[in-house]
Amino acid sequence: MATNYHNSTHISFSGSTLNDGQNFNLGCNQDEQDRYLSKLPCADGAAFNSRLREHEPQCLPDTRVDLLKQIMIWSNNPSGACIFWLNGMAGTGKSTIARTVARACADDGRLGASFFFSTGRDDVNHAAKFFTTLAAQLANSLPCVKTYICEAIEKNPDIFQRGLGEQWKYLILQPLSNLQDVSLNSKLHILVIDALDECKGEEDIKLIVKLLSKAKSLSTIRLRIFITSRLEIPIRHGFNAISEEAAHQDFVLHNISQSIVQQDMLIFFHHKLENIKKERSLPENWPEEGIIEQLAQRADKLFIYAATICRFIKHFKFDPKNRLSLVLNACTTRQSPTGALDGMYTQVLKHSVIGDCEEQEEEELSERFRQIVGSIILLSDPLSADALATVLHKATWEVEVTLDSLRSVLDVSESEDGGIRLLHPSFRDFLLDKKRCNDPLFYIDQKMAHNDLFLSCLHLMSKHLKEDMCNLQRPGALISDMKDGAVKSFLPLGFQYACRYWVHDLQVSDVKLHDNNQVHTFLRKHFLHWLEALSLMGKISDGVLMVRSLAKESMYMPKSGANSDLHDMVYDAKRIVLHNRSIIEAAPLQIYCSALLFSPTGIQQDWSPSLQTLEGHSGEVYGVAFSRDGRLLASASSNKKVRLWDPLTGASRGILEGHSFFGSGSGIHRQEPRVLLASVSSDKTVRLWDSSTGASHGTLEGHSDYVKAVAFSPDGHLLASASADMTVRLWDSSTGASRGTLEGHSDEVKAVAFSPDGQLLVSASYDETVRIWDPSTGASRGTLEGHSDWVLAVAFSPDGQLLASASSDKTVRLWDPLTGASRGILEGHAFSVYAVAFSPDGQLLASASEDETVRLWDPSTETLRGTLQGHSDVVKAVAFSPDSQLLASASGDMTVGLWDPSTGASRGTFEGHSDEVEAVAFSPDGQLLASASSDKTAVAFSPDGQLLASASGDMTVGLWDPSTGASCGTFEGHSDEVEAVAFSPDGQLLASASSDKTVRLWDPSTGATRGTLEGHSDWVRVVAFSPDGQLLPSASSDKTVRLWDLWTGAWRGTLEGHSPWVRVVAFSPDGQLLASASDRTVRLWDPSTGASRGTLEGYSSPVNAVAFSPDGHLLASAFYDKTVRLWDVKAKITIEILYTAQAITQLFFSTNGSYLETSHGILEFKHLTHSDSRSQCSASSCRIGVTGDWVRWGTESILWLPPDYRASCQSVQQNVLAIGHASGRVTFIEVDRDTLPLASV
């Protein structure tokens, strides 16, 4: 029977929650609270009263009177709608009204927070800092909530990297829910959100509306949200989706009566022109009677028209009277809603850009305008004049002169780094629309402008990109160790912009990819440099998406051999950035080390199917599932957490916690307007969540034992749960009501699955059967028998014509679900098969096994299509992405693997091991390496290096020619596993120790047995020869060491005194001392008499290895507690202790005694360091080794090891490092010290 993994996990998507945790005592420590609040990333310029918005207008007195009154009545109405949505077309004054409302609420002490989105400002054109900014403002405006927000940050320190749903819940909703001050209910508190349509990301916009609507659930405080936006589709959809859950009040601004707007417009023009008259000392009768009415009529309902006209007239370089005349004399049209605005913009540009210049200068000024302003309106992020000049390869003065005359339509910051922004997005809309901007001097062709930006960015990067741009020098240097401001000093903002957005401009332009074009040339020369720059900027996720975009663009290249180079290069680029994302993000220079070495240009011959490995779980990963749209990947772990990932970039999208025991599964289903996640657990419950908000949608109780798995029906209306109580339960996913219990299995039910049409439900059980049910009636439709062990998983093909079942009998069976007939058996796994999944296109079937592999099958032919190797523990679950392009696997090695199933070829191993490599050792001359795996328990070279002996679990000793790998014979005679082998100093004898309690002696040249040494009463663990070859000690589990005379085979004595079994024996170089080590002691003996020469004590950890120094005066011992001790043999005292990152299992002194060579690299003791001996040891052979994920030179990290290249053991010979891996492979790495840049040696 296979091992029973009680906590095995299955995932069926739909949400999650975070740790509620216990309360933290932060309430009385103001400084501590301020420290936590300082961690909140706050968007600069988000608040209505921020310094950046100081000069933005509010409604003038006696304007918008009725509307403002209506809004204030709503804001004070306890029974009113939770949200007031003010919407209207561009330029109708929404933001001015929002500022006015925010100011009124602030003056009344009722403003909780405000956030003003803006397309042209870095921090406020996206949602990344939206809720963190609101939380920071709430903490200041409502001191009583400050403590709870700080507690949330304390308990969830990575909350800033999590999704919007979790940020809203833990930073705002829960803190407000925890309030105890009943006086807060006496007044309503307002959140003001302006220009929501200017937030990037349609999904984020809809999610924000949805989350804000949850404020209606608050009972401890009455919260109202005032939102303004254009009437854009995503926002409409967002409000439509919550219409049933949360009432909201709408007001369409441009539908206000014309007469009311005209009155407000008259007041506005009168106020602005009066100020201009005073500032410029104009005559009292300016403007003439009727002019203001004429201007108000032209403005119609567009306040942006009025504001722009007034700024145009006010420009300090021109006569206001002349400018007003220009406005009045301009032709306008009423044929479209924007006619007046378009005419005004045209007039402003004619006089601000062209002016009174000569005709021959017009084209030059027009070209400069289109280049500079065309770039400004298309920039993905605003740039300062200096940064923009850098990108466009222009002199800064050219940019500044052009902008200076356009301040009526552009916001030009006076600060050095301040970005240039549009005063209103309608200006961009005008310039890009040929029908509206019908003057060719000003019209911006969007594709051509993006093309120019793309070429400018490419030229700038090609000029400045190089290796080690920030002068880090050390290959293992971490970004986290860089000084603040270092990146900006080396990478100017204009250069950073080019690195981040050149691919976007390429996509929007009309540039076509082909071999040897600009993109191909750039990538050939600067791809790695570009990745380094993105890493330094903290934008590696953007890099992943950009490379994916390039790969997608390359698919549209003309299909010909002439374009294969670029296509292949982009494919390699995608694989490099995905496979190395985590280390590139942390240590930029590893792009040139680890990323290259472990790619097909280095150690590997070709790309493996593994795209990337997602690390972060601290327990075994039991389940994986993609969301229906493929944009989320969930993984469930034994550490009671579900992690969410972006499967495209590998970025973490959040951590979900909630179950009281190990999570046992989950499932995802999109149930508009939310995505539901169901997770199941050993606490006998099923939990439902909204995955976007983390909000709980209930707990389903009824099972009397562990819940093993869950599955949604295709329409999402039903949820099935499988339990160790031998039943399957059906639930209504909307209400949580029980819809029936399916009984019939005689053992635990491990898995459930619905057919694609929802007409069938199948369940897999430890009773070795699969049962088929009618979910609508609960009736049994049949039982499938054939497996000879537990059935652990089931899956339907996309067309419902096949059913696959996976079992502990190492097979996958295929069935016809309608007739129950067997359709085939898939064999090949070495151990239990834990999971199966069909690709959505039906072309592949994936099976996951205890043998640490995933196999890919063609279900139509039942043939193997490939084996995915890379995990170092049981693979518990597999799932395909909706487009069949990705396969995710969950493993007991605490990782999630992402694979390309189309390239699922087996990776193979170097030497043929079938299990983890547990030891590696170089030959005496350093020319060869031997590796021992769990399938071969020990190895030993002959003194001359000509032979290699291996001890095996199959009761044999193998002899090999290490130069050719050819077998030189197999020695048989032991009746149990062979534990150890050793050659005599002259190479004439070979000794083998066995679990059969004997030691056998062999002639390695003939294979003849030279005797059997018997006397131990338990396994013989270790054998060793004395330096003169006269004595052989054998150490045993019977707690003794026996001494044998090799000439006669006679027993020379028994060394007793150890309490547990003896693990290690070693002779001093002169043969006068023998050291033996057991669980917690090292004993010294006189091997000639058997007399005790003392005990080395003072530690409480098992001993792994011992070694004498060349002069015999010192003894080194390695312990399981990751320490190595150096002893004075004569005094029997510890003279030095070293602490290591990993437990050392092998060690010996260098020939001159100046350092220790160990299974994990070189160790140097202060007592061994002598000026004369150090000169005899070349630096290149004294400092290399593996610690954790890194190859290190001394204390410095030089090479990061990817997950499938992590060391299970290691050995060093001069400057060559040999690393054994759990996969059975061995990797050799040679380090050239002379070319290795290190801070210190």
Side-chain angles (χ1 to χ4, degrees):
M1 187 65 72
T3 305
N4 181 5
Y5 291 87
H6 288 292
N7 301 314
S8 58
T9 303
H10 166 264
I11 295 192
S12 186
F13 226 115
S14 264
S16 54
T17 183
L18 291 162
N19 181 24
D20 293 335
Q22 74 272 19
N23 289 328
F24 291 79
N25 186 22
L26 300 173
C28 58
N29 191 332
Q30 186 66 40
D31 291 340
E32 188 73 359
Q33 287 186 358
D34 291 340
R35 185 175 71 84
Y36 278 107
L37 284 178
S38 68
K39 297 180 181 181
L40 283 173
C42 292
D44 192 24
F48 86 99
N49 57 352
S50 65
R51 175 68 181 88
L52 289 176
R53 298 184 180 277
E54 186 172 16
H55 302 296
E56 293 180 350
Q58 298 177 29
C59 294
L60 295 172
D62 300 322
T63 63
R64 302 295 198 187
V65 176
D66 293 339
L67 175 58
L68 290 172
K69 181 179 179 181
Q70 183 178 342
I71 294 170
M72 299 316 292
I73 290 174
W74 159 82
S75 73
N76 283 286
N77 183 3
S79 58
C82 177
I83 297 175
F84 190 111
W85 178 30
L86 178 68
N87 60 80
M89 62 185 290
T92 51
K94 300 181 294 296
S95 295
T96 302
I97 295 170
R99 285 189 289 270
T100 305
V101 171
R103 170 50 63 196
C105 292
D107 291 345
D108 196 26
R110 297 192 301 120
L111 182 66
S114 61
F115 197 104
F116 281 59
F117 284 101
S118 177
T119 302
R121 288 194 167 101
D122 297 350
D123 275 1
V124 292
N125 62 359
H126 54 79
K129 299 180 181 179
F130 178 64
F131 286 119
T132 55
T133 301
L134 293 183
Q137 293 182 34
L138 281 168
N140 291 323
S141 61
L142 295 170
C144 52
V145 81
K146 190 174 185 178
T147 297
Y148 300 109
I149 294 175
C150 292
E151 288 176 0
I153 301 170
E154 168 76 17
K155 288 183 283 187
N156 304 290
D158 64 340
I159 190 65
F160 320 125
Q161 282 77 49
R162 297 182 186 176
L164 295 179
E166 295 181 14
Q167 291 183 9
W168 160 257
K169 178 178 180 180
Y170 290 97
L171 292 177
I172 297 177
L173 194 64
Q174 280 192 358
L176 291 175
S177 299
N178 290 334
L179 291 174
Q180 305 296 323
D181 188 353
V182 294
S183 65
L184 291 172
N185 270 318
S186 62
K187 63 170 70 172
L188 280 78
H189 291 80
I190 313 298
L191 301 183
V192 176
I193 315 300
D194 180 57
L196 183 56
D197 56 284
E198 295 187 36
C199 173
K200 292 180 182 177
E202 294 184 0
E203 293 301 318
D204 283 349
I205 290 173
K206 290 189 285 188
L207 180 56
I208 286 172
V209 173
K210 177 181 177 179
L211 294 171
L212 291 175
S213 71
K214 304 296 181 183
K216 68 178 179 57
S217 65
L218 291 169
S219 58
T220 55
I221 185 173
R222 289 183 288 185
L223 196 65
R224 296 290 183 266
I225 298 104
F226 180 74
I227 299 176
T228 75
S229 75
R230 296 193 202 186
L231 196 62
E232 303 288 358
I233 291 176
I235 301 178
R236 291 208 314 268
H237 286 176
F239 278 104
N240 290 339
I242 67 165
S243 57
E244 295 181 3
E245 301 180 19
H248 59 277
Q249 184 173 337
D250 297 356
F251 192 97
V252 182
L253 192 54
H254 54 259
N255 286 347
I256 295 179
S257 166
Q258 181 68 30
S259 60
I260 295 176
V261 178
Q262 280 293 296
Q263 182 59 37
D264 291 344
M265 201 68 77
L266 288 171
I267 296 173
F268 178 86
F269 273 118
H270 185 273
H271 174 81
K272 291 293 184 180
L273 294 181
E274 189 66 24
N275 285 342
I276 293 173
K277 181 169 65 177
K278 291 178 180 178
E279 289 174 5
R280 304 294 291 273
S281 301
L282 298 175
E284 279 298 319
N285 62 345
W286 184 89
E288 298 175 4
E289 188 176 348
I291 297 299
I292 290 179
E293 287 78 4
Q294 189 177 345
L295 291 173
Q297 187 175 10
R298 289 192 177 196
D300 196 22
K301 297 181 180 181
L302 298 176
F303 276 87
I304 185 58
Y305 176 98
T308 305
I309 286 294
C310 292
R311 284 193 295 269
F312 178 76
I313 295 170
K314 184 181 179 180
H315 198 290
F316 70 95
K317 286 188 177 181
F318 301 96
D319 184 348
K321 293 182 288 184
N322 292 339
R323 287 236 151 178
L324 177 57
S325 298
L326 289 173
V327 171
L328 295 173
N329 293 332
C331 296
T332 61
T333 175
R334 295 287 181 180
Q335 294 180 354
S336 71
T338 61
L341 188 63
D342 299 343
M344 179 270 296
Y345 279 141
T346 301
Q347 193 70 15
V348 167
L349 293 179
K350 281 183 177 179
H351 292 280
S352 300
V353 177
I354 305 300
D356 298 326
C357 70
E358 298 294 329
E359 185 175 345
Q360 61 267 27
E361 295 179 311
E362 276 192 9
E363 185 55 40
E364 180 184 342
L365 293 173
S366 171
E367 177 66 20
R368 191 166 70 187
F369 166 81
R370 291 196 300 271
Q371 285 182 345
I372 295 173
V373 178
S375 297
I376 291 171
I377 66 173
L378 295 178
L379 288 175
S380 298
D381 266 337
L383 293 174
S384 65
D386 185 59
L388 181 61
T390 299
V391 171
L392 298 180
H393 312 288
K394 290 186 173 294
T396 302
W397 70 264
E398 283 189 86
V399 176
E400 291 176 340
V401 166
T402 302
L403 301 178
D404 192 50
S405 60
L406 291 171
R407 292 178 182 263
S408 57
V409 289
L410 296 176
D411 179 10
V412 182
S413 174
E414 299 300 329
S415 67
E416 183 178 344
D417 294 333
I420 306 159
R421 299 171 175 86
L422 305 183
L423 284 168
H424 198 273
S426 60
F427 183 52
R428 179 185 187 274
D429 299 339
F430 162 74
L431 290 175
L432 296 177
D433 190 333
K434 198 169 187 177
K435 293 181 179 178
R436 294 178 59 186
C437 182
N438 50 29
D439 191 327
L441 292 174
F442 309 120
Y443 166 66
I444 307 295
D445 184 305
Q446 189 164 354
K447 280 190 177 294
M448 289 184 63
H450 275 295
N451 184 69
D452 291 343
L453 264 177
F454 156 68
L455 292 175
S456 295
C457 290
L458 212 60
H459 177 71
L460 180 61
M461 290 188 295
S462 299
K463 184 177 179 181
H464 295 288
L465 281 171
K466 63 177 183 177
E467 185 175 340
D468 196 9
M469 282 172 284
C470 286
N471 198 29
L472 299 176
Q473 297 185 348
R474 296 177 295 113
L478 302 176
I479 288 180
S480 58
D481 295 333
M482 294 180 66
K483 294 180 179 179
D484 292 341
V487 172
K488 187 177 177 182
S489 65
F490 285 99
L491 309 181
L493 293 179
F495 175 79
Q496 291 191 35
Y497 179 92
C499 291
R500 290 185 63 189
Y501 296 112
W502 70 272
V503 174
H504 167 71
D505 289 313
L506 168 67
Q507 286 180 290
V508 186
S509 72
D510 55 5
V511 175
K512 303 300 181 186
L513 295 182
H514 57 80
D515 277 5
N516 300 315
N517 77 338
Q518 311 101 310
V519 174
H520 194 187
T521 302
F522 170 77
L523 292 176
R524 271 195 306 235
K525 188 173 182 179
H526 293 298
F527 172 66
L528 296 180
H529 303 151
W530 173 57
L531 285 187
E532 180 196 335
L534 291 174
S535 173
L536 291 165
M537 293 154 51
K539 300 296 181 182
I540 204 65
S541 284
D542 292 353
V544 175
L545 294 175
M546 284 189 277
V547 172
R548 281 188 172 277
S549 296
L550 286 174
K552 187 175 181 181
E553 290 291 322
S554 71
M555 294 173 61
Y556 300 110
M557 293 191 306
K559 298 292 187 287
S560 69
N563 287 318
S564 61
D565 287 352
L566 177 56
H567 182 276
D568 292 346
M569 185 172 192
V570 171
Y571 175 78
D572 286 342
K574 183 179 78 170
R575 297 304 302 268
I576 285 175
V577 72
L578 284 174
H579 197 258
N580 298 281
R581 176 220 153 86
S582 61
I583 190 58
I584 293 174
E585 195 167 37
L589 298 188
Q590 284 299 301
I591 295 166
Y592 311 103
C593 303
S594 181
L596 283 185
L597 183 63
F598 298 106
S599 71
T601 59
I603 286 176
Q604 294 184 183
Q605 308 230 338
D606 201 354
W607 287 110
S608 76
S610 175
L611 292 174
Q612 57 183 308
T613 302
L614 308 179
E615 298 183 286
H617 283 292
S618 58
E620 297 183 18
V621 187
Y622 288 113
V624 284
F626 283 92
S627 59
R628 294 290 174 93
D629 59 8
R631 298 173 67 177
L632 271 184
L633 174 69
S635 57
S637 169
S638 61
N639 62 3
K640 310 176 190 178
K641 295 179 181 179
V642 174
R643 282 184 173 266
L644 298 178
W645 312 87
D646 182 334
L648 290 181
T649 67
S652 174
R653 292 283 295 275
I655 303 173
L656 314 175
E657 303 177 76
H659 276 300
S660 56
F661 296 98
F662 296 140
S664 171
S666 57
I668 303 178
H669 181 77
R670 179 171 290 279
Q671 197 176 76
E672 296 296 349
R674 60 176 178 251
V675 178
L676 277 181
L677 182 137
S679 60
V680 302
S681 171
S682 54
D683 65 5
K684 309 175 188 177
T685 68
V686 178
R687 288 174 179 254
L688 296 177
W689 320 87
D690 183 324
S691 64
S692 60
T693 66
S696 173
H697 278 267
T699 301
L700 311 181
E701 300 178 354
H703 285 294
S704 58
D705 208 335
Y706 295 85
V707 185
K708 296 282 189 174
V710 67
F712 282 97
S713 62
D715 62 8
H717 295 156
L718 272 184
L719 182 70
S721 57
S723 172
D725 65 10
M726 300 186 286
T727 70
V728 175
R729 284 183 174 260
L730 297 175
W731 313 84
D732 185 316
S733 61
S734 299
T735 66
S738 174
R739 293 281 293 274
T741 303
L742 310 181
E743 298 178 297
H745 284 293
S746 58
D747 207 335
E748 298 182 15
V749 186
K750 183 63 173 65
V752 283
F754 282 93
S755 61
D757 60 6
Q759 300 301 304
L760 293 177
L761 175 70
V762 294
S763 55
S765 171
Y766 287 175
D767 65 11
E768 304 177 7
T769 70
V770 175
R771 285 183 173 262
I772 304 177
W773 313 85
D774 183 334
S776 62
T777 64
S780 174
R781 295 280 292 272
T783 302
L784 307 180
E785 299 179 331
H787 283 295
S788 59
D789 209 332
W790 297 344
V791 186
L792 302 176
V794 283
F796 278 96
S797 62
D799 60 6
Q801 300 301 303
L802 274 182
L803 175 68
S805 58
S807 170
S808 293
D809 65 11
K810 310 175 190 177
T811 70
V812 175
R813 285 181 173 259
L814 300 177
W815 314 84
D816 184 326
L818 297 180
T819 66
S822 175
R823 294 280 293 274
I825 303 175
L826 308 180
E827 297 177 295
H829 282 295
F831 298 106
S832 298
V833 186
Y834 279 98
V836 285
F838 283 92
S839 61
D841 60 10
Q843 300 300 304
L844 289 175
L845 174 69
S847 57
S849 171
E850 188 180 1
D851 64 12
E852 304 175 5
T853 70
V854 175
R855 285 181 173 252
L856 298 175
W857 312 84
D858 184 328
S860 62
T861 64
E862 301 170 27
T863 56
L864 180 66
R865 292 277 293 274
T867 302
L868 309 180
Q869 296 176 308
H871 284 297
S872 59
D873 206 333
V874 180
V875 187
K876 297 296 186 71
V878 284
F880 282 92
S881 62
D883 60 4
S884 301
Q885 299 301 303
L886 282 178
L887 176 71
S889 57
S891 171
D893 63 11
M894 299 187 288
T895 69
V896 175
L898 287 178
W899 312 81
D900 181 348
S902 65
T903 60
S906 174
R907 297 187 59 179
T909 60
F910 292 162
E911 294 294 336
H913 285 303
S914 59
D915 210 332
E916 177 177 350
V917 179
E918 297 183 337
V920 286
F922 280 95
S923 62
D925 61 4
Q927 300 302 305
L928 294 172
L929 177 99
S931 59
S933 168
S934 296
D935 60 353
K936 293 285 186 292
T937 57
V939 290
F941 277 99
S942 62
D944 60 6
Q946 300 301 304
L947 288 176
L948 174 72
S950 63
S952 177
D954 63 4
M955 302 183 288
T956 67
V957 175
L959 206 60
W960 313 85
D961 181 336
S963 63
T964 65
S967 173
C968 296
T970 301
F971 303 162
E972 299 180 354
H974 284 294
S975 59
D976 207 335
E977 295 182 11
V978 184
E979 299 287 337
V981 285
F983 280 94
S984 63
D986 60 6
Q988 300 302 304
L989 274 182
L990 174 67
S992 58
S994 171
S995 298
D996 65 7
K997 310 174 189 177
T998 70
V999 176
R1000 284 184 174 261
L1001 300 175
W1002 314 84
D1003 184 332
S1005 62
T1006 65
T1009 181
R1010 295 279 293 274
T1012 302
L1013 310 179
E1014 298 178 292
H1016 284 293
S1017 59
D1018 207 337
W1019 294 0
V1020 186
R1021 299 278 187 173
V1022 182
V1023 287
F1025 286 88
S1026 63
D1028 61 5
Q1030 301 299 306
L1031 274 182
L1032 177 80
S1034 57
S1036 169
S1037 295
D1038 64 10
K1039 309 175 187 177
T1040 70
V1041 176
R1042 285 183 171 256
L1043 300 175
W1044 310 88
D1045 185 318
L1046 289 174
W1047 285 104
T1048 64
W1051 167 65
R1052 291 276 297 273
T1054 302
L1055 310 181
E1056 298 179 294
H1058 289 291
S1059 53
W1061 54 275
V1062 184
R1063 307 161 66 95
V1064 181
V1065 289
F1067 278 98
S1068 62
D1070 60 6
Q1072 300 302 303
L1073 277 181
L1074 174 69
S1076 59
S1078 65
D1079 200 18
R1080 291 179 175 83
T1081 62
V1082 175
R1083 290 180 176 267
L1084 301 176
W1085 314 87
D1086 183 333
S1088 63
T1089 65
S1092 173
R1093 294 283 293 274
T1095 303
L1096 307 181
E1097 299 176 306
Y1099 43 88
S1100 59
S1101 179
V1103 184
N1104 289 335
V1106 293
F1108 281 94
S1109 62
D1111 60 9
H1113 295 158
L1114 300 174
L1115 178 80
S1117 56
F1119 297 87
Y1120 186 76
D1121 64 1
K1122 304 177 185 177
T1123 64
V1124 176
R1125 290 172 180 255
L1126 192 65
W1127 305 83
D1128 183 313
V1129 173
K1130 185 176 181 179
K1132 299 178 182 58
I1133 59 172
T1134 301
I1135 57 177
E1136 192 172 343
I1137 302 174
L1138 288 185
Y1139 297 89
T1140 60
Q1142 295 170 290
I1144 302 296
T1145 56
Q1146 299 174 344
L1147 82 167
F1148 54 91
F1149 280 83
S1150 62
T1151 54
N1152 62 5
S1154 63
Y1155 59 92
L1156 284 172
E1157 294 189 28
T1158 79
S1159 55
H1160 291 284
I1162 300 300
L1163 289 181
E1164 292 181 335
F1165 286 90
K1166 287 184 291 186
H1167 285 77
L1168 301 180
T1169 304
H1170 309 293
S1171 58
D1172 58 337
S1173 65
R1174 180 173 287 275
S1175 63
Q1176 300 169 26
C1177 169
S1178 64
S1180 63
S1181 65
C1182 293
R1183 305 178 70 95
I1184 188 173
V1186 177
T1187 303
D1189 304 343
W1190 286 90
V1191 174
R1192 295 183 184 273
W1193 189 280
T1195 59
E1196 288 206 34
S1197 301
I1198 60 173
L1199 180 71
W1200 180 78
L1201 299 173
D1204 47 349
Y1205 283 92
R1206 303 279 162 80
S1208 57
C1209 57
Q1210 61 179 292
S1211 185
V1212 178
Q1213 182 71 24
Q1214 296 186 6
N1215 62 335
V1216 177
L1217 173 67
I1219 305 173
H1221 308 295
S1223 64
R1225 291 173 298 149
V1226 178
T1227 299
F1228 297 88
I1229 297 173
E1230 182 176 4
V1231 177
D1232 183 353
R1233 170 64 186 86
D1234 295 333
T1235 61
L1236 191 65
L1238 299 173
S1240 59
V1241 177

